[in-house]
Amino acid sequence: MRLPDRVLAPSERIAEILFGLIMVLTFTCATGVVSADRIVIRTMLIAALGCNVAWGIIDGGMYLLACLAERGRNAVLMRQVRGAPDHNSAHGVIADALPPLFTSYFERPQLELIREGLNRVPDSEIRPRLTARDLMGAMSVCILVILSTFPVVIPFIVFEDAQFALRTSNAIAIISLFFCGFMFARYAGLRPWLTGFIMVIVGAAMVGIAIALGG
């Protein structure tokens, strides 16, 4: 029931980078930059950056809500364990809160140790509240979403040729999507190269859906 000590788990960091990439790709792919002049390109860059800043702030706020919800749920489980009429009922509450993979390996002695440990937790630690680490996590989420914009839009700033800039931007986006999939696979125990290619396909599909729906 304890939250991890790290500010953001690797899967969370990868997810935020992917979110930012898909957001900015929706702009760069939907805008007709191949024949656009520098003014139109600059407008597109400002719009893409502004959108990712806005969504970075929103995503940071949602991260805080998720932290509060998780702690609130932990507090409810704690009260259920403490208020159980007998040990067997408390063990059932604990077993239901465990991941399904672990439940079959926890027998009564282990569940009783957990119950005793939970009963020793001070009441002051049960109340759900946000911490400084949560605020750092929300800020990290916001920064990751914003920073993920720059690798894709930098070619439009550096190169005068809009068509070449678009090709370069798309190449960077593909590499970034592959890298995110590769790192996610290493964290999740999947096949890195295959997952990287799948992430490119999935990311491209999500961008296509967003553009088709007017995103």
Side-chain angles (χ1 to χ4, degrees):
M1 295 182 186
R2 185 174 180 269
L3 290 174
D5 290 332
R6 68 187 71 188
V7 175
L8 288 179
S11 59
E12 292 175 317
R13 294 195 292 268
I14 294 170
E16 298 304 333
I17 294 173
L18 283 172
F19 178 78
L21 278 173
I22 291 171
M23 288 292 294
V24 71
L25 277 172
T26 302
F27 275 90
T28 59
C29 292
T31 304
V33 295
V34 174
S35 59
D37 56 24
R38 300 302 297 179
I39 296 177
V40 174
I41 293 175
R42 184 178 64 181
T43 302
M44 182 272 294
L45 295 179
I46 294 174
L49 179 59
C51 181
N52 271 31
V53 169
W55 276 108
I57 295 172
I58 293 171
D59 215 18
M62 296 302 296
Y63 174 86
L64 292 177
L65 286 178
C67 290
L68 193 60
E70 184 173 355
R71 289 198 176 89
R73 179 57 185 163
N74 288 345
V76 170
L77 291 173
M78 188 85 73
R79 286 193 290 268
Q80 289 177 344
V81 171
R82 293 184 172 187
D86 52 57
H87 289 188
N88 288 333
S89 299
H91 295 168
V93 174
I94 296 170
D96 289 340
L98 292 172
L101 178 63
F102 298 158
T103 302
S104 59
Y105 296 100
F106 278 73
E107 298 181 355
R108 178 169 180 152
Q110 288 80 31
L111 295 174
E112 179 61 20
L113 285 175
I114 296 175
R115 187 194 69 81
E116 293 176 353
L118 293 178
N119 285 332
R120 290 194 296 268
V121 176
D123 291 338
S124 60
E125 296 186 13
I126 298 178
R127 291 192 299 271
R129 60 182 183 275
L130 295 175
T131 65
R133 182 173 288 274
D134 297 329
L135 297 177
M136 290 176 57
M139 186 176 298
S140 299
V141 166
C142 182
I143 292 173
L144 281 173
V145 173
I146 295 172
L147 290 182
S148 62
T149 305
F150 291 100
V152 180
V153 300
I154 282 177
F156 297 104
I157 301 174
V158 175
F159 302 112
E160 291 289 338
D161 187 337
Q163 188 175 5
F164 180 76
L166 178 61
R167 289 197 297 266
T168 305
S169 175
N170 289 339
I172 293 174
I174 291 172
I175 294 172
S176 299
L177 288 170
F178 177 86
F179 179 76
C180 286
F182 189 92
M183 297 306 296
F184 175 79
R186 294 188 62 181
Y187 173 75
L190 303 174
R191 298 171 63 182
W193 287 92
L194 177 61
T195 306
F197 286 117
I198 292 175
M199 189 66 74
V200 172
I201 296 172
V202 171
M206 294 177 71
V207 171
I209 291 172
I211 294 173
L213 295 177

